[in-house]
Amino acid sequence: MEDKVSNDPVVAIVGVTGAVGAEFIATMDKRGFRVGKLKALASARSAGKRVSFRGQDVVIEELTERAFEGVDIALFSAGGSISKKFAPLAVKAGAVVVDNSSAFRMDPNVPLVIPEINANRIRDHKGIIANPNCAAITALVPLWPIHQKNRIKRVIISTYQAASGAGAAAMEELVESTRANLNGQVYTPRVMPHPYAFNLFNHNTAIDPETGYNDEETKVINETRKIFEDETIAIGVTCVRVPVLRAHCEAITFECEKPITEDQVRAIMAQAPGVKVVDNRAKNYFPMPIDASGQDDVLVGRIRKDLSDPSGHSISMFVAADQLLKGAALNAVQIAELLPQRVMA
């Protein structure tokens, strides 16, 4: 693109060649996000290649310590180690960073934001705003409006997480291994720790030897408490990787302080921002990854009483959301859209 000729912000994308990087570009385009100039940043091996943005070719530049001169907003999705090294440099150069990694999420000085829940926290930033974990976003967008009306005391979540959460290489491995399996060929995993085609397994993050929880589960627990600003909420999570390309699903059971009915939950969900109710018992049609893929909203269905709780305080439901969109790029762009006007002009 040409040099900046307007008051619209200079936007840098760090990790532009990755799955989320591509969605940053597509999401900004779809939403008409104001961009005076786009800087596409990636590793040295991608420098010189091109990406398309609004009908123009943008030459990819190598991510270096001087890459953020003149940048107003930097969208990061290149992993925690890259964020830890380069996000402070971007801030020092005058940019506001929206970071999609886990590097800063639990830093008490960094807002952890889902715009439908705590957009007001954006104003507290000191240069960096963290995008939450994708599994946390998928659960919390529909849980928050319930929590506001009838405090949630306890929640149990089981996730069915897509390949996209592990990046473009994992998505490619799922496709390749499935093709090989169907052709009767042996496929040796290179990205995932276990065979991916026609299989599912514990989320591919490290297990805490003391608690038995994987890192993804710990993220969901800690981030829920930070975003809800409630350290007492009880959370149990089991995170599983499933052979789906890009949409996460979750089975959620929550217990409220006061009794709650499925009709009350449906009414709340019908008005909830970022939520679409898909709950057709007659046709046995509920949220599915094939429907959530490419959609901005979190799909919510299977809303029903938790029969294990005779007190009437608990509800079970099933949700699905596009991991690359609301779980990553869309949430980050929504944050960027809400940055103070002095950044955006």
Side-chain angles (χ1 to χ4, degrees):
M1 297 183 71
E2 297 178 357
D3 290 341
K4 183 179 178 183
V5 293
S6 72
N7 289 326
D8 291 339
V10 174
V11 178
I13 295 178
V14 179
V16 72
T17 59
V20 175
E23 291 298 335
F24 279 145
I25 290 176
T27 300
M28 288 192 298
D29 193 28
K30 178 181 177 182
R31 295 175 69 85
F33 185 83
R34 292 162 45 187
V35 178
K37 178 185 177 182
L38 180 69
K39 292 194 72 172
L41 302 175
S43 64
R45 66 178 178 270
S46 296
K49 297 179 181 177
R50 296 172 182 270
V51 294
S52 179
F53 180 62
R54 294 179 179 163
Q56 298 187 54
D57 283 342
V58 180
V59 178
I60 297 174
E61 303 174 39
E62 181 181 357
L63 175 63
T64 67
E65 294 182 359
R66 297 181 61 85
F68 299 98
E69 293 180 5
V71 171
D72 298 304
I73 299 170
L75 304 176
F76 273 67
S77 189
S81 61
I82 295 295
S83 292
K84 287 178 182 178
K85 178 179 179 179
F86 287 98
L89 295 173
V91 174
K92 188 176 180 180
V96 176
V97 170
V98 183
D99 181 44
N100 195 51
S101 80
S102 61
F104 304 103
R105 288 175 186 156
M106 297 312 298
D107 185 327
N109 294 313
V110 174
L112 183 64
V113 174
I114 301 174
E116 291 87 349
I117 298 176
N118 61 344
N120 61 304
R121 287 297 177 194
I122 292 172
R123 65 172 179 258
D124 300 331
H125 79 81
K126 297 177 174 62
I128 300 174
I129 302 165
N131 218 33
N133 171 273
C134 48
I137 293 173
T138 300
L140 300 187
V141 168
L143 287 176
W144 174 250
I146 297 165
H147 187 65
Q148 286 184 295
K149 293 181 179 297
N150 187 348
R151 180 181 172 271
I152 294 173
K153 296 167 48 180
R154 181 170 182 257
V155 59
I156 302 296
I157 303 170
S158 295
T159 74
Y160 309 75
Q161 293 183 228
S164 56
M171 297 173 75
E172 184 179 358
E173 179 159 295
L174 174 56
V175 172
E176 290 182 352
S177 61
T178 302
R179 184 180 294 116
N181 191 289
L182 291 171
N183 290 330
Q185 300 169 342
V186 175
Y187 185 91
T188 302
R190 301 186 305 274
V191 180
M192 290 298 187
H194 306 289
Y196 207 177
F198 305 102
N199 192 30
L200 54 83
F201 44 85
N202 177 62
H203 192 278
N204 53 297
T205 46
I207 297 285
D208 184 319
E210 293 187 8
T211 67
Y213 279 73
N214 63 47
D215 190 48
E216 187 83 349
E217 293 158 351
T218 303
K219 289 176 186 175
V220 173
I221 293 169
N222 292 338
E223 292 178 31
T224 297
R225 289 172 175 158
K226 180 174 179 177
I227 294 166
F228 276 22
E229 299 183 21
D230 185 349
E231 290 296 320
T232 66
I233 187 170
I235 311 165
V237 189
T238 301
C239 291
V240 175
R241 189 72 76 185
V242 299
V244 169
L245 277 175
R246 60 176 290 165
H248 287 355
C249 294
E250 301 181 9
I252 302 172
T253 296
F254 58 90
E255 178 186 358
C256 293
E257 284 189 337
K258 299 177 290 186
I260 189 167
T261 68
E262 60 186 58
D263 286 342
Q264 288 174 329
V265 172
R266 284 194 189 90
I268 294 169
M269 292 295 94
Q271 301 297 320
V275 169
K276 180 180 178 181
V277 177
V278 180
D279 198 34
N280 192 326
R281 292 180 180 178
K283 294 184 178 180
N284 194 6
Y285 204 107
F286 303 106
M288 293 183 285
I290 197 170
D291 289 338
S293 295
Q295 300 297 311
D296 289 350
D297 292 335
V298 178
L299 309 185
V300 179
R302 298 235 51 214
I303 301 167
R304 63 205 189 279
K305 292 181 183 178
D306 171 18
L307 297 181
S308 72
D309 179 8
S311 73
H313 287 66
S314 302
I315 294 289
S316 294
M317 61 187 187
F318 193 78
V319 304
D322 189 309
Q323 186 275 329
L324 293 175
L325 289 176
K326 188 54 187 170
L330 172 61
N331 198 78
V333 172
Q334 286 177 302
I335 291 170
E337 289 172 342
L338 295 171
L339 286 171
Q341 196 66 31
R342 60 180 175 81
V343 173
M344 299 294 291

